[in-house]
Amino acid sequence: MRHRTVRRFRAATASAVAAGLLAGCAGAGGAASSPRGGAVSVLMVNNPQMAELRKLTAAHFTKETGIEVNFTTLPENDIRDKAGQDFANQTGQYDVATISNFEVPFYARNGWLRPLDAYAAADSAFDRADLFEPVRRSLTAADGRLYAVPFYGESSFLMYRKDVFAEQGLAMPAHPTWQQVADLAAAVDGARKGMRGICLRGQPGWGEVIAPLTTLVNTFGGTWFTKDWQARLTSPEFVRATEFYVRLVREHGEKGAAQSGYAECLNAVIQGRTAMWYDATAAAGPLEASGSPVKGRIGYVPAPVERTAVSGWLYTWAWGLQKASENPDRAWRFIAWASGKEYEALVGRKAGWADVPAGKRASTYESAPYRRAAAAFWDVTRASIASTDPWRPGTQPRPAPGIQFVGIPEFSGLGTKVSREISAAISGRQSVATALRKSQAMAERVGERYRSR
């Protein structure tokens, strides 16, 4: 999850609700075979796993089905804007878009998506039961229907350079605490020329700095809102977690941390400029891919904790089928192929099993080729995803689901505004206290609206 808020998405949501889209989606209809030919238009994020999909589609999916796929790829900060506009207005420009478990409940409630239960049930090769329960549940709306299918799923964990730790005589605990991580970051900082102790996201965006920071808030005992929508961004727990995060990244993090996100930290690890990185489990694939200069040198342990037993997040990039699509059957065939076992095996053969878009199917983690290729991280990833609970990610009750976000439409705007304040604290332009005081005022306005309903 690497995203900036989309103000237009929020405006589109409001206009769609006003137009009566809350009436709900139409049924998916039958999953009858589509005729050969005809193009499917796909809007997707430009992450590495999607780039591999685009490369393989014509030579395999189109060759086998005769269905052409026209891809539009955008950075993650832009994909939500484009998808939100197109799906809200139901233009049908895109049949399919990559959306996440954050958007699915709102898109479904607004009537922008086709439910996929009928398609999945009729397609025995798809094997819906094989999908990880936490991931599948996160893509199921309040009406009990499945509205998106995962391309890959992820939690979060800590990555570290085993060789550098060995050189320094350091040992990574099997289940580290955040204080242990901070101590190790200090010990390993500068172990090699140009190497910093840890990389952490500092870039503005509710899916950038706010994602890992919120997992710290959870495990430090904090929350964005109490169960009755009282904002708690200036609570002792929230303040302590934020001060810890900002201090750690300022003292031992990457240069230019306030503008560093997922991509920048990934590059820092690959280029040997950081000894540790706390981020998405999906990062392990590129790190262990054939040709990666750090392949075999990275260790993986669960997300660090403070007051909770676990603290990993839950996220999935998934395929949503627009209700207004004129090619729903052909679109489903693409979705089922791209998220199916056959495609995972194809990636394993063509690019290497470590590159498989995993984190979604139980069968993947029982596959001998995958276990061999992903030996360094598959078990930690599976355990991290299985341990997630979006309704109880911390030490106190929540008013809405979400681990690294609060599951309400307003969080995209709120989270992005707060992220700018946090990034300003990381850059040294203001104190953490000032950042959180401003953020508290913004959160109080959101909480008040929910309390008054």
Side-chain angles (χ1 to χ4, degrees), residues 78-362:
D78 300 326
I79 189 75
R80 298 176 186 279
D81 194 2
K82 191 71 171 177
Q85 291 180 69
D86 191 58
F87 279 49
N89 294 319
Q90 290 292 289
T91 65
Q93 179 180 358
Y94 300 103
D95 300 295
V96 177
T98 49
I99 56 178
S100 76
N101 51 315
F102 174 77
E103 289 92 4
V104 164
F106 319 129
Y107 276 39
R109 187 171 66 234
N110 293 348
W112 301 348
L113 298 170
R114 287 176 178 259
L116 301 178
D117 303 83
Y119 285 113
D123 190 341
S124 59
F126 178 71
D127 194 3
R128 171 178 170 170
D130 188 45
L131 299 176
F132 281 145
E133 177 61 22
V135 176
R136 186 174 72 240
R137 189 170 61 244
S138 75
L139 300 174
T140 302
D143 63 5
R145 293 191 287 183
L146 184 71
Y147 281 93
V149 168
F151 180 54
Y152 67 80
E154 66 180 40
S155 184
S156 55
F157 56 21
L158 182 68
M159 297 157 273
Y160 69 100
R161 283 287 298 269
K162 295 185 296 183
D163 54 343
V164 175
F165 270 55
E167 291 169 5
Q168 299 299 311
L170 300 172
M172 174 64 72
H175 296 275
T177 66
W178 272 110
Q179 187 55 57
Q180 288 172 326
V181 170
D183 293 342
L184 288 167
V188 80
D189 203 347
R192 292 185 179 179
K193 185 178 180 180
M195 178 175 281
R196 300 306 303 266
I198 192 167
C199 200
L200 295 170
R201 301 187 197 186
Q203 188 179 85
W206 71 264
E208 285 287 1
V209 65
I210 294 301
L213 173 60
T214 300
T215 68
L216 263 76
V217 170
N218 293 336
T219 195
F220 274 64
T223 181
W224 283 71
F225 297 97
T226 63
K227 64 179 180 180
D228 57 353
W229 291 106
Q230 299 290 335
R232 297 286 291 164
L233 277 71
T234 51
S235 68
E237 298 85 0
F238 206 112
V239 170
R240 180 168 171 257
T242 306
E243 288 180 340
F244 182 95
Y245 190 96
V246 171
R247 183 170 58 252
L248 179 57
V249 75
R250 282 178 61 85
E251 292 180 354
H252 304 296
E254 68 279 15
K255 293 182 179 179
Q259 294 302 319
S260 294
Y262 173 86
E264 288 75 17
C265 283
L266 176 63
N267 288 335
V269 177
I270 289 176
Q271 295 169 11
R273 291 186 281 109
T274 186
M276 290 189 291
W277 179 27
Y278 169 61
D279 215 295
T281 57
L287 295 179
E288 300 296 336
S290 176
S292 167
V294 295
K295 177 180 172 62
R297 300 180 182 182
I298 307 294
Y300 305 86
V301 292
V305 295
E306 180 71 11
R307 294 176 54 187
T308 58
V310 296
S311 68
W313 69 53
L314 178 66
Y315 191 76
T316 174
W317 276 116
W319 305 109
L321 175 54
Q322 185 171 176
K323 181 182 177 182
S325 169
E326 296 182 358
N327 306 298
D329 293 346
R330 291 193 290 272
W332 167 256
R333 292 185 69 181
F334 167 76
I335 290 171
W337 175 76
S339 289
K341 301 175 186 178
E342 175 187 343
Y343 177 73
E344 290 194 357
L346 175 64
V347 174
R349 294 193 303 271
K350 297 294 184 178
W353 278 93
D355 279 345
V356 164
K360 65 179 183 293
R361 289 189 172 276

Side-chain angles (χ1 to χ4, degrees), residues 71-83:
F71 290 105
T72 299
T73 58
L74 294 171
E76 296 184 26
N77 281 350
D78 300 326
I79 189 75
R80 298 176 186 279
D81 194 2
K82 191 71 171 177

Side-chain angles (χ1 to χ4, degrees), residues 353-440:
W353 278 93
D355 279 345
V356 164
K360 65 179 183 293
R361 289 189 172 276
S363 59
T364 305
Y365 293 81
E366 299 303 322
S367 164
Y370 181 75
R371 285 193 176 199
R372 285 194 297 270
F377 62 86
W378 72 263
D379 53 342
V380 183
T381 299
R382 183 175 66 174
S384 296
I385 293 173
S387 70
T388 58
D389 184 353
W391 279 104
R392 296 184 63 85
T395 63
Q396 53 191 295
R398 308 300 168 97
I403 300 175
Q404 73 277 28
F405 55 77
V406 181
I408 55 174
E410 294 86 353
F411 188 75
S412 59
L414 173 62
T416 293
K417 292 175 183 176
V418 171
S419 76
R420 294 176 186 139
E421 303 300 334
I422 302 301
S423 291
I426 291 173
S427 68
R429 290 185 285 117
Q430 66 180 2
S431 67
V432 170
T434 298
L436 292 181
R437 186 171 62 251
K438 295 176 183 178
S439 300
Q440 172 72 8

